[in-house]
Amino acid sequence: MAQAEALLTVRDIHTYYGDSYVLQGLSLALREGQIVAILGRNGMGKTTLIRSVAGLTPPRSGDILLRGEPITGARSYDIARRGVGLVPQGRRIFTSLTVRENLLLPASVLAGGRRGGPDEGPPEWDLDEVLDQFPQLKARINNLGGALSGGEQQMLAIGRALMRNPDLILMDEPSEGLSPRLVEQVGDIMTTLKKRNHAILLVEQNIGMALAIADYVYVLSVGKFVFEGPPSELTANAEVIDRHLGVTGSEQVA
Ligand SMILES: Nc1ncnc2c1ncn2[C@@H]1O[C@H](COP(=O)(O)OP(=O)(O)OP(=O)(O)O)[C@@H](O)[C@H]1O
Ligand SMILES: [Mg+2]
């Protein structure tokens, strides 16, 4: 059954920057429509994991499979075309293009993503639907990306990824630098995306938000997973929280 097959499988990957050995044997699995959260303090390798999956910093060994097919070593644009969207850390929208251009450009340059059709689930995202989802963007459609607030830029980064109709969305700290109200909105958006059968690999330092929406959680520490399980198991594990997620971690969970 397609339901049971993993959408993304990461098997024992080892990723380096030159001689610097960062990811030291990570394995994980993510099914269609699932939200899997990766938690960990600064510098533990969260972004490197996202970059490994996206093909930006390919692992030196190990396997990455999309719907059972190997994508290890594939070019990043090829991985994107096969249905993997990226919402990078720090948004990285085009500041000198308008909101409309930001949304339309990647979709037109890089066709691909989810195939439409009767068995392919909900309809694809288009400009109207993205703007309905993000009223803040609709109101600022002709403004430059650089003129948006941090929250609006985050919505734009998510909207831009959706325009390619990805099956899997890689989100790198989408709540970083946002007010609690906006963090809540980002969490709500992810829940909406999950309902529309998008899978999300979510990297976060906002533990409370991640645990509220994730189906499964991994804790990353110095390039290795030191915990994996459902959110309730992590909430009950004060030792892992204090040791690997820090004092702020237990405060956020409480
Ligand atoms: N381009 C690079 N070249 C060399 N080392 C790097 C590079 N990018 C990251 N690193 C190192 O790899 C390790 C993991 O970095 P990474 O960015 O994956 O951490 P992170 O968990 O995403 O941190 P943060 O929460 O601060 O975003 C760190 O020690 C970092 O200094
Ligand atoms: Mg990072």
Side-chain angles (χ1 to χ4, degrees):
M1 278 292 290
Q3 277 306 80
E5 190 196 336
L7 176 62
L8 175 72
T9 309
V10 171
R11 219 184 271 148
D12 194 28
I13 60 165
H14 298 255
T15 304
Y16 295 70
Y17 296 105
D19 290 337
S20 176
Y21 180 28
V22 178
L23 300 187
Q24 308 185 358
L26 297 187
S27 300
L28 66 85
L30 198 159
R31 290 195 305 277
E32 236 175 65
Q34 233 190 358
I35 300 179
V36 167
I38 311 292
L39 303 175
R41 287 199 286 243
N42 290 113
M44 292 301 159
K46 303 182 300 298
T47 296
T48 307
L49 172 58
I50 296 264
R51 291 181 60 87
S52 296
V53 174
L56 297 166
T57 307
R60 204 168 284 177
S61 67
D63 298 302
I64 302 176
L65 311 172
L66 196 62
R67 294 179 210 88
E69 290 173 25
I71 55 165
T72 333
R75 297 293 184 85
S76 55
Y77 61 77
D78 208 20
I79 292 172
R81 203 177 292 136
R82 287 161 81 161
V84 179
L86 173 63
V87 181
Q89 187 165 17
R91 344 312 182 194
R92 295 185 174 267
I93 53 140
F94 300 107
T95 52
S96 56
L97 297 182
T98 65
V99 168
R100 184 196 304 277
E101 288 164 342
N102 264 281
L103 290 171
L104 291 178
L105 184 71
S108 61
V109 171
L110 301 156
R114 188 183 296 208
R115 292 114 11 251
D119 302 326
E120 304 278 348
E124 300 200 13
W125 290 90
D126 59 19
L127 185 61
D128 287 342
E129 258 194 285
V130 166
L131 293 177
D132 282 347
Q133 182 68 44
F134 301 103
Q136 303 104 309
L137 297 183
K138 199 177 204 164
R140 309 206 62 182
I141 186 81
N142 293 316
N143 285 96
L144 294 182
L148 302 183
S149 70
E152 289 163 346
Q153 290 191 351
Q154 188 61 60
M155 303 307 159
L156 181 54
I158 297 171
R160 182 179 59 179
L162 288 179
M163 288 293 289
R164 310 228 15 245
N165 288 289
D167 295 318
L168 168 63
I169 309 172
L170 310 172
M171 291 208 192
D172 196 347
E173 299 206 40
S175 79
E176 198 176 18
L178 300 188
S179 68
R181 188 180 57 81
L182 284 168
V183 171
E184 201 177 308
Q185 195 189 343
V186 168
D188 289 346
I189 289 161
M190 279 188 271
T191 305
T192 302
L193 298 182
K194 176 186 159 73
K195 282 192 194 129
R196 294 187 60 153
N197 216 29
H198 294 278
I200 301 174
L201 183 62
L202 168 69
V203 156
E204 261 304 335
Q205 291 205 48
N206 188 314
I207 298 158
M209 184 267 261
L211 292 184
I213 63 169
D215 299 294
Y216 204 75
V217 186
Y218 296 82
V219 175
L220 185 56
S221 184
V222 206
K224 291 180 180 156
F225 287 138
V226 291
F227 170 91
E228 66 166 276
S232 56
E233 235 172 73
L234 180 58
T235 310
N237 193 330
E239 203 222 317
V240 168
I241 292 172
D242 286 342
R243 194 146 159 226
H244 299 289
L245 300 173
V247 179
T248 33
S250 39
E251 275 168 2
Q252 282 181 40
V253 168

